[in-house]
Amino acid sequence: MEDARLNILVVDDEPDICATLAEILEDEGYSVHTAGSAEAAEVLLREQMVDLVLLDIWMPGEDGVSLLRRWAEAGLAQPVVMMSGHATIETAVQATKLGAYDFIEKPLSLDKTLLTVTHALESSRLQRENRDLRAQAGWVERPSGDSPAIRQFREQLQRVAAVDSWALLLGEPGSGKEVAARYLHRQSRRAQGPFVDLRAAAIARPNVAVELFGSEEHGKLTRGRLEVAHGGTLFIDEIADMDLETQARLFSALQERRIIRVGGTTPVPVDVRVIAGSAQDLAHAVQSGQFRSDLYYRLSALPLKVPPLSARSVDIPVLIEEFVRFYGARDGLAARRFAPETLEVLRHYPWPGNIRELQNLVERLLILAEGPEISAEEVEGALGLDNRLVLANSNFDGEDFGGTLKRARERFERAFLEYHLARNEWNIARTAEVVGLERTHLYRKLKNLSIALKGERRAGEDGDEGEG
């Protein structure tokens, strides 16, 4: 990808001013479009995403203030800098109240104009970043932790960030796909551009196309996520929830680097990197006819698997610290310490809801727990791990509780280890990390429990992977 150039629209009825500003701004690395009237500016804005508007006040036909008022009512997100050689202070104040970023007088000082443009664009970028950060309910900067699984995953993200290809994040619900996508965006050459997300599963299927491509229906222009993400990254979570028609339209738009809004006829250029997320088996969805093969093969050129929390339980203390800091800063919740035995309970819990489940648990405990330390009993209660629930949901019957305590413990250990071995595809290194045992100790346990042969056979096939 070439570095994305910011687009500036100059609206002025004097051709010499348009030409001069275009020449100066293009020398500074901007892409410039010009319009000689409010009507021409409206047409251009329908066809082109711009980052800033330089707008003259006095023009034949509709004047700049009237045009700015209409833009403000329609929710124009781009900063607008007003220009005039005859405006009064009252006019300048009126324009500012309507949302103009600044006001510069004619004859234009080119140095002041360039400085104003720079400040307006930087202010717009910072506002966008602040909105993005506020929108993230459990914001963290990167996939956190020091486990081998997450270190390897961060390295993969950094390598993928160096290119501009589409990417696919595969992982269980709640495993942190959006955090990974934001980290990938910030490490890429598009980091100064917008990061826009679309949760396909949360939008009714008939409305997904409008959310993606925008619309020009009933005389109203609505920009879709692809346009808003121009120059940056669009993260589409649960992309398999899109209908086939929208999938086809998305693939075509990104291949051609232009879109047509719903109800519109004019192509609009877009420059967007797509990162897709899915908890589903997309290859199976292709075989069953629920996902387009062309879109799948384009996305799966760079597939990245987000490790589940159960495969990186050693990261739980780090994640807890982040969540405690976050809820302290956002909600003023008092920090509480998780006792060592509490962390041990959390390390051995299977986490079917992944990081999202851990985050929700921390929030609940910070709100409801009493005292400076959170005990193992409080965590077990919050997770429903009391004895009654274990008995109610277990596969044990009355005969399983006969015999000695040693025999009962062996039965539980066998079931526990077989569960984690299966969850980690019989990878010995990964399983040892999850259950908190040294690898040699795990081998010894498996042998003593008569599951050594099966475990060693699968470990021989996958063991090298576990060291990576």
Side-chain angles (χ1 to χ4, degrees):
M1 151 192 167
E2 298 179 1
D3 290 339
R5 301 179 71 189
L6 296 176
N7 293 321
I8 296 178
L9 170 61
V10 178
V11 186
D12 198 303
D13 64 311
E14 298 183 53
D16 289 345
I17 290 180
C18 287
T20 300
L21 284 174
E23 181 180 357
I24 297 297
L25 292 169
E26 286 172 351
D27 286 344
E28 294 296 316
Y30 300 109
S31 177
V32 181
H33 307 272
T34 61
S37 66
E39 182 180 1
E42 291 272 76
V43 171
L44 197 146
L45 275 176
R46 298 178 77 88
E47 301 174 356
Q48 179 72 47
M49 191 72 176
V50 303
D51 299 287
L52 178 142
V53 181
L54 291 170
L55 176 61
D56 187 30
I57 289 183
W58 300 112
M59 296 184 296
E62 185 176 15
D63 63 71
V65 173
S66 175
L67 179 59
L68 177 63
R69 180 180 290 107
R70 287 201 297 107
W71 283 349
E73 292 172 353
L76 183 72
Q78 295 85 347
V80 178
V81 175
M82 306 300 290
M83 306 180 295
S84 179
H86 308 287
T88 63
I89 294 177
E90 289 78 9
T91 304
V93 170
Q94 183 183 12
T96 303
K97 287 182 177 179
L98 289 172
Y101 174 80
D102 204 348
F103 181 92
I104 51 179
E105 292 183 291
K106 294 180 180 179
L108 299 175
S109 163
L110 295 182
D111 287 340
K112 181 178 179 181
T113 301
L114 288 175
L115 188 63
T116 302
V117 165
T118 300
H119 287 171
L121 290 169
E122 179 65 10
S123 174
S124 177
R125 183 183 69 81
L126 291 174
Q127 289 176 13
R128 184 176 65 241
E129 287 183 357
N130 288 335
R131 287 194 301 269
D132 288 346
L133 293 180
R134 286 195 299 269
Q136 297 179 57
W139 176 75
V140 291
E141 289 187 351
R142 63 176 192 160
S144 303
D146 295 310
S147 65
I150 204 64
R151 285 203 307 268
Q152 183 183 40
F153 181 58
R154 281 200 301 266
E155 291 169 0
Q156 291 174 340
L157 288 174
Q158 290 165 3
R159 289 196 294 271
V160 171
V163 298
D164 202 48
S165 303
W166 302 3
L168 176 62
L169 294 170
L170 297 168
E172 298 175 6
S175 58
K177 293 188 287 293
E178 183 181 347
V179 170
R182 289 182 181 274
Y183 179 70
L184 201 161
H185 169 72
R186 285 193 297 270
Q187 298 296 312
S188 75
R189 285 172 287 178
R190 294 179 177 268
Q192 298 303 312
F195 178 92
V196 178
D197 67 318
L198 174 70
R199 292 172 174 81
I203 302 171
R205 286 199 168 191
N207 299 330
V208 172
V210 172
E211 289 288 337
L212 263 180
F213 304 104
S215 68
E216 295 182 22
E217 298 177 307
H218 312 299
K220 182 180 179 181
L221 187 152
T222 302
R223 300 189 188 279
R225 308 290 176 93
L226 280 164
E227 252 185 291
V228 176
H230 180 77
T233 302
L234 174 65
F235 173 56
I236 305 175
D237 196 16
E238 295 306 336
I239 192 169
D241 284 341
M242 287 183 178
D243 61 79
L244 292 172
E245 181 181 349
T246 304
Q247 291 175 29
R249 190 169 180 171
L250 173 64
F251 180 79
S252 175
L254 294 171
Q255 287 284 88
E256 298 176 10
R257 299 170 69 89
R258 61 181 185 174
I259 63 170
I260 296 178
R261 303 184 190 101
V262 175
T265 57
T266 305
V268 179
V270 291
D271 173 22
V272 176
R273 181 185 195 175
V274 167
I275 302 172
S278 181
Q280 300 184 38
D281 183 344
L282 292 186
H284 178 73
V286 170
Q287 293 175 357
S288 62
Q290 296 176 322
F291 198 80
R292 288 184 61 93
S293 59
D294 51 7
L295 183 57
Y296 169 70
Y297 291 124
R298 181 66 188 270
L299 288 170
S300 61
L302 285 175
L304 297 169
K305 188 168 184 179
V306 186
L309 186 56
S310 61
R312 42 181 292 228
S313 59
V314 294
D315 295 330
I316 287 175
V318 175
L319 294 168
I320 287 175
E321 287 181 10
E322 286 187 343
F323 296 143
V324 169
R325 284 197 302 270
F326 171 76
Y327 288 115
R330 193 191 73 171
D331 301 326
L333 297 178
R336 289 187 166 88
R337 177 175 174 269
F338 284 66
E341 59 270 21
T342 305
L343 294 176
E344 193 65 18
V345 171
L346 296 174
R347 276 174 54 92
H348 291 90
Y349 179 69
W351 296 110
N354 285 290
I355 295 176
R356 186 182 299 129
E357 183 182 6
L358 175 62
Q359 180 178 350
N360 293 339
L361 174 70
V362 171
E363 181 184 21
R364 184 162 68 251
L365 290 170
L366 291 178
I367 294 172
L368 299 178
E370 297 180 358
E373 186 171 87
I374 294 174
S375 68
E377 289 75 16
E378 288 176 299
V379 167
E380 289 172 344
L383 290 173
L385 297 179
D386 57 57
N387 290 336
R388 288 169 299 173
L389 190 59
V390 170
L391 290 175
N393 292 327
S394 71
N395 294 320
F396 296 118
D397 55 29
E399 294 181 1
D400 290 309
F401 293 95
T404 64
L405 178 61
K406 179 181 178 182
R407 181 61 182 155
R409 184 166 58 242
E410 287 177 353
R411 285 197 295 268
F412 171 77
E413 286 184 346
R414 182 183 295 107
F416 176 80
L417 291 176
E418 286 180 341
Y419 167 82
H420 283 289
L421 283 164
R423 189 176 178 87
N424 289 283
E425 300 176 345
W426 289 83
N427 183 301
I428 296 296
R430 267 204 311 268
T431 303
E433 179 186 340
V434 169
V435 302
L437 292 175
E438 293 291 336
R439 192 170 181 174
T440 54
H441 190 187
L442 177 58
Y443 272 119
R444 196 156 52 244
K445 276 281 187 186
L446 295 175
K447 185 175 181 180
N448 292 338
L449 295 170
S450 302
I451 54 177
L453 290 177
K454 184 178 180 182
E456 287 174 356
R457 183 174 69 252
R458 296 304 302 269
E461 296 171 4
D462 298 337
D464 291 340
E465 179 189 343
E467 295 294 326

